[in-house]
Amino acid sequence: MRHAIKNPSPRARSKWLLRSCALAYIDNDKRRSLIGMQGGSAMTYKLLAQLYPAWKILVVILLFISPLFAQEQAENRFQSAAERFFARNDKNKDGKLSREEFPERQRRLFERIDTDKDGFVTLEEDIFYRNNRRRNTVNIPEGVTVHRDLIYGRVGERELPLDLYLPPDTSSPVPVVIWVHGGGWRGGSKGNGGRALNMTRRGFAVVDVEYRLSGEALFPAQIEDCKTAVRWVRANAKKYNLDPDRIGAWGSSAGGHLVAMMGLTHDENVFETNDHSQYSSQVQAICNWFGPTDFLRMNDFEGRIDHDAADSPESRLIGGLIQENKEKVAAANPITYVSKNDPPMFIMHGEKDLSVPYNQSELLYAAMQKAGLDVTLYKVVNADHGFRNATQDSAASLFEMSAQFLEKHLKPQTDAASP
């Protein structure tokens, strides 16, 4: 059984990086002399002062900076902008904007932002719209092949699409990570591979799934769609040279809830559909970022959402007040399905999450630990929803921990090392 992972602070990592870069670009005698004479920060900055040419250190540092930093900064910027927009325009303070509340000069965008078509724009929908405008500018890693809008299932006349990102080398079957987006089950969509996109740099295929939102269909439509997507991967494994025995799922927020459900319901024979029914929907590893679990316990802690309200994301997911529909809530609770044969799970959650309280991950972790399962809960210190305001972790370090977990469980030991 693994426990929470401890990591050095960002400041310590920065010092280590600067010191390593400095040592790499001076001659051996000078390096030995400085190491013997200096220590800590003094040595680091003395080394930097003696570099020639100085631009080399900038090149090395830039090579270490992942595109995740830019993505994280952009997402935080968009969320802050959306929150300011709501603070200005939500006149009745009900947490959503009607067409009348929407600024007149931007009203032409209302239908585009209102993705669930309920006549209101939520904060999640606004954040998603701001993020999704970057879709065409997302940096696809070099050599990655993208297949967009592949149809993985149908519900009546409704087609369910996904995007498939293949790594540069598919000469042998590659492991798969299925990314499931967040958005309170009522907003969001596929579009850029999410946080999992950079797994293509590590030899994984990435599947970015669109699922039906709560404004279109109530629970369990969302988990049914996600499990159908897993079966589609297996049905098309030979066509795209995917490994049907090495499939992981990774999601954040509502997506974290859905990937937990994907992993824990594999032996329950529930939430299955007729699409690709001859194939299994089982996944081999789960990376759950701050997903809800027990909706009835979400108001145990003060936050920015009244989860018991009729218009909360959870009530809208099940189609009624959660406190009055406890059987439906239990059916949507991943803890309900914990059993001794469940796959390993890595849970990551912000300590000060005001949208999905940290206790949601604690409850799931405790249940899985009691069942003797392979589970890790990592607390992101001081972080709010989406890991905003984290003080001891960066976007890059959080991604790296998640990537290493997926590599450990989905790649053979001979090729699990990162390129």
Side-chain angles (χ1 to χ4, degrees), residues 22-66:
L23 288 170
Y25 284 102
I26 62 177
D27 62 76
N28 290 335
D29 291 339
K30 188 175 293 184
R31 185 187 303 129
R32 283 193 293 269
S33 173
L34 285 168
I35 290 175
M37 294 170 55
Q38 301 288 339
S41 299
M43 187 194 77
T44 298
Y45 295 114
K46 182 158 184 145
L47 287 168
L48 291 173
Q50 298 193 36
L51 289 178
Y52 180 82
W55 60 266
K56 287 185 178 180
I57 204 169
L58 296 177
V59 172
V60 174
I61 292 173
L62 287 173
L63 290 174
F64 274 82
I65 296 177
S66 165

Side-chain angles (χ1 to χ4, degrees), residues 124-410:
E124 291 91 347
E125 287 174 324
D126 190 13
I127 293 170
F128 168 72
Y129 174 75
R130 293 169 190 267
N131 273 307
N132 205 43
R133 284 185 300 181
R134 300 184 299 123
R135 172 174 174 168
N136 294 329
T137 63
V138 170
N139 293 322
I140 305 299
E142 185 176 355
V144 169
T145 301
V146 184
H147 299 276
R148 293 200 185 277
D149 297 320
L150 301 174
I151 303 304
Y152 70 87
R154 288 178 172 81
V155 181
E157 296 183 357
R158 168 70 151 95
E159 293 183 334
L160 301 170
L162 59 76
D163 295 340
L164 173 63
Y165 300 82
L166 295 175
D169 183 6
T170 55
S171 57
S172 60
V174 296
V176 180
V177 175
I178 297 176
W179 171 257
V180 182
H181 69 81
W185 307 281
R186 59 187 182 185
S189 180
K190 70 176 181 63
N192 59 17
R195 300 300 180 87
L197 179 60
N198 277 308
M199 293 302 293
T200 54
R201 301 179 188 271
R202 308 168 89 112
F204 284 75
V206 173
V207 172
D208 189 3
V209 177
E210 177 179 312
Y211 56 87
R212 287 171 290 165
L213 303 176
S214 59
E216 178 181 357
L218 300 177
F219 182 86
Q222 298 71 29
I223 182 60
E224 289 176 350
D225 294 351
C226 291
K227 296 186 77 168
T228 299
V230 180
R231 295 196 302 275
W232 179 93
V233 169
R234 290 198 165 93
N236 290 274
K238 289 185 178 179
K239 179 177 181 179
Y240 296 106
N241 216 10
L242 310 174
D243 190 331
D245 298 320
R246 295 188 288 162
I247 302 175
W250 184 358
S252 62
S253 195
H257 164 261
L258 291 173
V259 298
M261 291 287 290
M262 290 164 68
L264 300 177
T265 61
H266 69 96
D267 54 356
E268 300 285 342
N269 195 29
V270 291
F271 311 130
E272 305 289 355
T273 65
N274 293 326
D275 291 293
H276 319 294
S277 58
Q278 67 271 40
Y279 295 96
S280 169
S281 62
Q282 183 174 2
V283 293
Q284 283 68 54
I286 297 295
C287 186
N288 168 8
W289 277 12
F290 48 92
T293 55
D294 186 348
F295 300 166
L296 301 180
R297 299 286 304 277
M298 295 184 79
N299 268 8
D300 286 1
F301 297 89
E302 184 178 355
R304 61 172 61 94
I305 299 173
D306 178 4
H307 299 281
D308 291 344
D311 63 347
S312 74
E314 297 75 29
S315 293
R316 292 181 60 176
L317 176 68
I318 66 166
L321 290 166
I322 59 174
Q323 296 293 345
E324 296 178 4
N325 292 274
K326 294 184 178 181
E327 288 187 6
K328 291 182 179 180
V329 170
N333 184 349
I335 298 171
T336 301
Y337 307 98
V338 171
S339 64
K340 63 180 181 179
N341 296 318
D342 291 335
M345 185 181 299
F346 181 46
I347 309 171
M348 191 176 282
H349 207 129
E351 177 185 27
K352 297 181 178 179
D353 192 326
L354 296 178
S355 295
V356 179
Y358 182 72
N359 81 318
Q360 294 292 287
S361 287
E362 289 182 310
L363 292 168
L364 177 57
Y365 174 72
M368 294 186 69
Q369 193 176 47
K370 184 177 180 180
L373 295 170
D374 183 350
V375 59
T376 298
L377 172 58
Y378 182 79
K379 179 190 293 186
V380 185
V381 176
N382 290 325
D384 193 354
H385 199 62
F387 306 138
R388 291 187 303 154
N389 305 320
T391 55
Q392 296 184 13
D393 294 285
S394 65
S397 68
L398 297 173
F399 171 84
E400 184 61 27
M401 281 187 279
S402 303
Q404 288 183 8
F405 165 80
L406 292 169
E407 285 185 326
K408 176 181 178 180
H409 293 285
L410 300 178

